[in-house]
Amino acid sequence: MHDTHLIEKIYESIAALCSQNGITRVNGIEIEVDEGSHIEGPHLLSHLMDRDNVMFGDWTRVHVEHKPYEKLTAVIKSIDGDGCE
């Protein structure tokens, strides 16, 4: 249940970063989450696609690594995307 809240926060953060940097289509994301999290790449991508199927899709690569962070912590390490010129 807590992962659902964290996934939504991850989406909101990615969307804000993309907006700030003019990214309209995400090709790849690298994220680190706490070791107790059950978040995995395919599950996260599915949620991101449900929230915005223009910015995220089958072309989006999601890499999730589990690290010794505090519970319910996620760090967006990188976002690779395309923007409109």
Side-chain angles (χ1 to χ4, degrees):
M1 186 63 156
H2 292 120
D3 280 343
T4 303
H5 180 68
L6 182 59
I7 287 172
E8 182 59 20
K9 288 296 202 179
I10 290 169
Y11 165 74
E12 291 170 1
S13 296
I14 292 170
L17 287 167
C18 288
S19 177
Q20 291 169 7
N21 292 286
I23 296 172
T24 57
R25 177 179 158 129
V26 176
N27 298 319
I29 309 165
E30 289 187 38
I31 296 178
E32 295 176 350
V33 296
D34 71 272
E35 291 174 320
S37 173
H38 296 105
I39 295 174
E40 297 294 336
H43 179 242
L44 178 57
L45 178 57
S46 176
H47 178 81
L48 295 173
M49 288 170 59
D50 286 346
R51 293 289 276 125
D52 187 337
N53 64 3
V54 174
M55 189 178 301
F56 306 98
D58 293 333
W59 64 84
T60 306
R61 296 175 324 277
V62 177
H63 177 76
V64 176
E65 194 168 335
H66 293 82
K67 297 278 189 153
Y69 292 126
E70 285 186 41
K71 189 174 182 175
L72 299 177
T73 299
V75 176
I76 300 168
K77 299 299 283 185
S78 69
I79 301 173
D80 173 45
D82 300 325
C84 51
E85 303 286 320

